[in-house]
Amino acid sequence: MITLWGRTNSTNVRKILWCLNELELKFEHIQAGGPFEIVNTTEYLQLNPNGLVPCLQDGDFTLWESHTILRFLAEKYAQKGLFISDIEQRYAAEKWMDWCLGGMSPIFKMIMMHTIKLPLAQRNMSLLQQALQELDVKLNVLNQHLEFRLFIAGEYFSIADIALGSYMYTWKNLPIDQSLKFQAIDLWFERLMERPALQSVLKL
């Protein structure tokens, strides 16, 4: 039995919900984190000592860190097609997952803090503008990669699309004026939004 802990509106939890739906796996979803709390309980900290979400249990096996969970699910349940068998093609796609965590995620968190998370009096417009400029550079790199590709891995949808696509969904729904200069990203995002598995998650 698979159990997933994490609040539905979390970017990182959305990745796992999306992946589980793509794989058509049965699972139990327990809302945790944010207003649902749970993450500071002794029982939860035994599963994830960081007190963060998502956390996944597959039988007696427990994992945390969203991209590690994505890789585990794709490889274990590879018969559903998310796991790229060619090792060079797989890592060519999955490097973008680490690029996302190391390069885009910290910038993204800064933007989130100064647009919706912090009280108005604590938001710093100077820091926000700096973060937006830094994100602009990152998105330009991704846009160039997608110019002649349907998905991150080329013609194949993979967990790399899930990882980056979840961030892009949150980005697209922030109260920020977004230019139309990243056409390749926009077309890729439209393809992701058409996927039934993602549509099911967004209804939760």
Side-chain angles (χ1 to χ4, degrees):
M1 176 65 182
I2 296 175
T3 303
L4 172 66
W5 283 265
R7 54 188 173 83
T8 306
N9 64 348
S10 159
T11 299
N12 289 327
V13 174
R14 185 187 304 119
K15 301 172 192 175
I16 312 308
L17 288 167
W18 183 358
C19 185
L20 289 166
N21 277 273
E22 289 282 353
L23 294 167
E24 300 178 358
L25 296 173
K26 293 182 179 180
F27 63 96
E28 178 185 9
H29 178 210
I30 299 174
Q31 296 278 6
F36 303 100
E37 299 183 345
I38 295 180
V39 294
N40 292 322
T41 64
T42 301
E43 293 77 12
Y44 186 83
L45 290 171
Q46 289 177 344
L47 298 173
N48 185 351
N50 301 291
L52 299 172
V53 293
C55 183
L56 180 132
Q57 266 194 315
D58 189 355
D60 295 328
F61 183 62
T62 303
L63 273 182
W64 32 270
E65 292 298 331
S66 61
H67 289 189
T68 300
I69 296 172
L70 287 177
R71 290 181 169 106
F72 167 76
L73 290 172
E75 186 165 356
K76 182 172 181 179
Y77 301 100
Q79 70 274 12
K80 292 294 183 179
L82 281 182
F83 183 73
I84 301 172
S85 58
D86 182 88
I87 190 168
E88 292 184 358
Q89 186 181 25
R90 181 166 78 249
Y91 281 102
E94 290 189 13
K95 71 185 178 188
W96 287 95
M97 297 169 65
D98 295 329
W99 172 86
C100 179
L101 283 182
M104 197 166 76
S105 180
I107 302 170
F108 200 79
K109 288 177 181 177
M110 180 68 70
I111 293 172
M112 294 280 288
M113 292 297 292
H114 294 283
T115 53
I116 60 174
K117 290 196 172 184
L118 287 174
L120 278 172
Q122 297 179 28
R123 296 178 191 176
N124 186 316
M125 292 301 103
S126 177
L127 290 177
L128 175 60
Q129 287 304 315
Q130 180 181 343
L132 288 171
Q133 290 173 6
E134 292 174 356
L135 184 63
D136 193 77
V137 173
K138 295 295 182 183
L139 291 180
N140 187 57
V141 172
L142 179 61
N143 193 71
Q144 290 179 18
H145 175 74
L146 288 168
E147 278 185 346
F148 304 103
R149 295 173 174 86
L150 292 175
F151 300 106
I152 301 296
E155 61 180 304
Y156 300 106
F157 176 83
S158 72
I159 56 173
D161 296 288
I162 293 176
L164 275 71
S166 186
Y167 275 98
M168 288 308 303
Y169 178 81
T170 302
W171 165 245
K172 292 286 187 182
N173 286 277
L174 286 177
I176 292 175
D177 181 28
Q178 299 177 29
S179 68
L180 300 176
K181 62 182 175 180
F182 298 118
Q183 185 177 8
I185 290 178
D186 290 341
L187 292 173
W188 164 73
F189 184 71
E190 288 176 9
R191 287 189 284 273
L192 299 185
M193 289 296 295
E194 292 172 354
R195 299 191 70 83
L198 176 56
Q199 293 176 11
S200 295
V201 172
L202 298 179
K203 293 176 183 177
L204 297 175

